[in-house]
Amino acid sequence: MTLLRGVSLLIAALALDACATVDPAPGLEHVRSLSATRTEADVVWVRNEAEAAQIRELVEALLADGLSRDEAVRIAVLNNPALQARLADIGIAAADVVEASLPTNPVLDIYWASPRRTGDSSIGLVGWLSDLWTLPRRKEVAALDARLTEYGVALDVMMAAIDAAHAWDRVVQSREELSLARELVDVRRKEDRRREIRFDHGLDDARLVDEAELRLAETEVGVHEFEQVVTEAETDFDRVLGLRSAAEHVGADASLAEYPPLDLTEAEALATGLTERLDLAMAEAEVERLSRNLGLQESLVWNQVALGVGRDGVFKETRGDEDSIGPVVSVDLPIFDRNQAGIARAEFEIEQAVQQLTARRQIAVKELLDRFRGYDRARQSLGTLTESGLPSAHRALAYMRDRNQAMQVAPIDMFESEALLLETRMAVVRARGGVNAARRGLELALRGGSSE
């Protein structure tokens, strides 16, 4: 019975991992850790009605006193149904790791001869010795699969936050532009009426009247276009936050605030991006996973090796020479199939993944430089408008108003200055929105991944 005890101990040793349970908590904590440096929003995986009720209460509290950009980001990460569905992949990955760590079930063979006098009976119990060298490799591959999933979920969290911030900006920006466009229509109407009066008094010709009417028509068309942009922006905002009428909670007095500038040099941006981008981390983890998979494929050459104990005989109650007990060995001999295809495929996949990683790094460098320079240029454009263009437009209008009060300039010239100021203010709003979008694009290039 010493052999039987030895086999039993082997099976017990292999079964130790079978006590593992599926626990997605470590994976979720890894996602939270990755997200903490990429967004201020909390990552919460809602898995039951009690948790869902808590999220609803938190969302209602955030909506209660108007919705800022940061609050919109928090709601999007907490409440977006697509992101909640994505978080379930963490649990699936954790289940795959447990499945990969489970030993192959032992095999119990029983043959009961009847009647016993005409044949022998047998019983055998075997465990899979090959699990000793295949299981560790399976677990390594599954663990790296889980890591890839966690990187991907963290990237989705970052994208949800960026989308929410962009959607909030778009609502506020489109509303500001619409308000300015309506003011511009009022100015163009005054100009048009003044041209008609001057025409009636023979001071202007028909061409100038027609040009004024054309400018008014173009401005009115612009208002309609901005109204549609507002509608689309509000609908998109509702979608991103996973709420109905979320845009109604963005206050009418909300302004398009500019993000604080990023204090990074171009070289620092490159260094940060090449070490912190999630898509590069995923590509590197994929190379590692495939390298581990090659080891797994090599271990599968001896994939089915079983060791156990068996007993043959008539199973009499009294001991006799008819009964026998001994070891049972089962080996799938790798004569024809030595997993050549699996090993070769794994080698090709490693080669492919290394090339893809190289390509991804090259793309990352290009994106980082483009985004950094684009952000810098967007800030320069906004600076030009706010430091030079807008003050100049204000001064020009003030000058025209002073001249008009002194009756030294026709009111119609003052209307042109008013229109110029409104158009400059609209340009400032667009430029500020462009700076914010460029800032988010740079953040994505630094710590997220490709925008394509």
Side-chain angles (χ1 to χ4, degrees):
M1 300 298 293
T2 302
L3 179 60
L4 180 59
R5 284 197 298 270
V7 173
S8 299
L9 289 173
L10 171 63
I11 294 175
L14 290 173
L16 286 177
D17 286 339
C19 299
T21 58
V22 178
D23 181 13
L28 181 59
E29 285 305 313
H30 186 211
V31 170
R32 286 172 174 161
S33 175
L34 292 169
S35 301
T37 58
R38 293 167 173 83
T39 175
E40 297 295 327
D42 299 323
V43 179
V44 178
W45 182 9
V46 179
R47 301 183 62 191
N48 54 57
E49 180 53 34
E51 293 174 345
Q54 292 177 349
I55 295 302
R56 286 195 293 270
E57 290 178 4
L58 178 57
V59 169
E60 289 298 326
L62 292 171
L63 293 173
D65 57 350
L67 199 55
S68 68
R69 180 167 51 207
D70 290 342
E71 289 171 335
V73 169
R74 290 187 63 192
I75 290 175
V77 174
L78 289 172
N79 197 61
N80 188 293
L83 186 57
Q84 285 296 317
R86 184 72 168 100
L87 289 171
D89 285 338
I90 299 172
I92 295 171
D96 289 341
V97 172
V98 171
E99 178 66 24
S101 68
L102 296 177
T104 307
N105 290 327
V107 177
L108 176 65
D109 285 325
I110 299 176
Y111 171 65
W112 186 266
S114 180
R116 286 182 291 171
R117 66 177 181 275
T118 62
D120 290 342
S121 299
S122 65
I123 184 171
L125 177 65
V126 297
W128 295 93
L129 188 64
S130 51
D131 280 351
L132 292 176
W133 55 83
T134 60
L135 268 183
R137 291 170 174 81
R138 292 184 192 276
K139 289 168 61 176
E140 289 174 347
V141 173
L144 286 164
D145 267 330
R147 189 194 302 174
L148 279 166
T149 297
E150 291 155 14
Y151 284 143
V153 173
L155 181 55
D156 286 350
V157 170
M158 186 179 185
M159 288 301 304
I162 288 176
D163 287 346
H166 177 72
W168 189 93
D169 273 15
R170 188 171 176 231
V171 168
V172 175
Q173 177 181 336
S174 62
R175 287 176 178 176
E176 288 188 17
E177 289 183 307
L178 174 59
S179 177
L180 291 169
R182 285 171 173 166
E183 290 185 46
L184 185 58
V185 166
D186 291 339
V187 172
R188 292 301 186 195
R189 283 175 180 162
K190 293 176 184 178
E191 177 190 1
D192 183 59
R193 286 195 295 271
R194 176 63 64 177
R195 286 294 183 189
E196 290 178 351
I197 292 173
R198 288 175 63 85
F199 177 77
D200 292 340
H201 288 78
L203 299 176
D204 279 344
D205 56 33
R207 177 184 61 83
L208 294 175
V209 174
D210 290 339
E211 289 177 352
E213 290 180 354
L214 176 59
R215 284 192 292 271
L216 173 60
E218 290 175 342
T219 308
E220 289 176 337
V221 169
V223 167
H224 298 319
E225 291 175 348
F226 280 121
E227 287 173 342
Q228 181 60 26
V229 171
V230 170
T231 299
E232 293 174 358
E234 291 176 347
T235 299
D236 186 58
F237 186 65
D238 295 348
R239 176 191 62 80
V240 171
L241 267 64
L243 295 172
R244 293 182 179 179
S245 304
E248 294 179 1
H249 297 275
V250 179
D253 58 345
S255 61
L256 193 62
E258 183 183 349
Y259 288 109
L262 281 178
D263 187 18
L264 281 176
T265 65
E266 186 175 283
E268 289 171 338
L270 275 174
T272 300
L274 293 176
T275 56
E276 296 190 18
R277 276 175 66 120
L278 287 170
D279 64 342
L280 292 182
M282 293 171 68
E284 291 165 358
E286 176 66 1
V287 172
E288 184 179 356
R289 185 190 72 83
L290 292 172
S291 298
R292 303 286 180 165
N293 182 58
L294 175 59
L296 172 61
Q297 296 303 318
E298 291 172 342
S299 74
L300 294 180
V301 173
W302 297 90
N303 185 33
Q304 296 182 358
V305 180
L307 176 64
V309 65
R311 179 182 178 185
D312 289 325
V314 295
F315 294 176
K316 293 180 179 180
E317 294 181 2
T318 59
R319 298 181 64 182
D321 296 335
E322 295 88 349
D323 293 346
S324 62
I325 186 171
V328 175
V329 178
S330 175
V331 180
D332 184 5
L333 296 176
I335 296 175
F336 304 110
D337 183 1
R338 298 186 298 278
N339 201 29
Q340 304 97 315
I343 293 172
R345 179 183 178 88
E347 291 173 341
F348 288 132
E349 286 176 338
I350 292 173
E351 181 180 341
Q352 181 184 59
V354 169
Q355 293 294 332
Q356 289 174 339
L357 174 58
T358 300
R360 175 54 56 193
R361 284 175 175 158
Q362 292 174 346
I363 293 172
V365 170
K366 183 68 167 63
E367 284 184 339
L368 284 161
L369 292 175
D370 286 351
R371 295 291 183 178
F372 183 88
R373 293 167 185 172
Y375 174 59
D376 186 58
R377 289 165 183 149
R379 290 184 61 202
Q380 289 180 20
S381 296
L382 178 60
T384 299
L385 285 170
T386 56
E387 296 170 12
S388 177
L390 195 58
S392 297
H394 276 291
R395 287 194 299 269
L397 178 58
Y399 174 79
M400 286 298 179
R401 284 174 176 169
D402 291 342
R403 294 283 303 274
N404 180 53
Q405 290 177 357
M407 300 300 292
Q408 295 178 356
V409 65
I412 197 165
D413 293 330
M414 187 178 67
F415 296 149
E416 286 296 328
S417 294
E418 290 178 353
L420 177 62
L421 176 59
L422 288 169
E423 290 170 348
T424 305
R425 289 174 60 190
M426 292 175 70
V428 169
V429 171
R430 285 194 296 271
R432 185 171 290 118
V435 169
N436 286 350
R439 162 69 181 265
R440 288 188 292 267
L442 178 55
E443 289 176 344
L444 180 61
L446 286 170
R447 294 181 175 86
S450 176
S451 58
E452 298 179 357

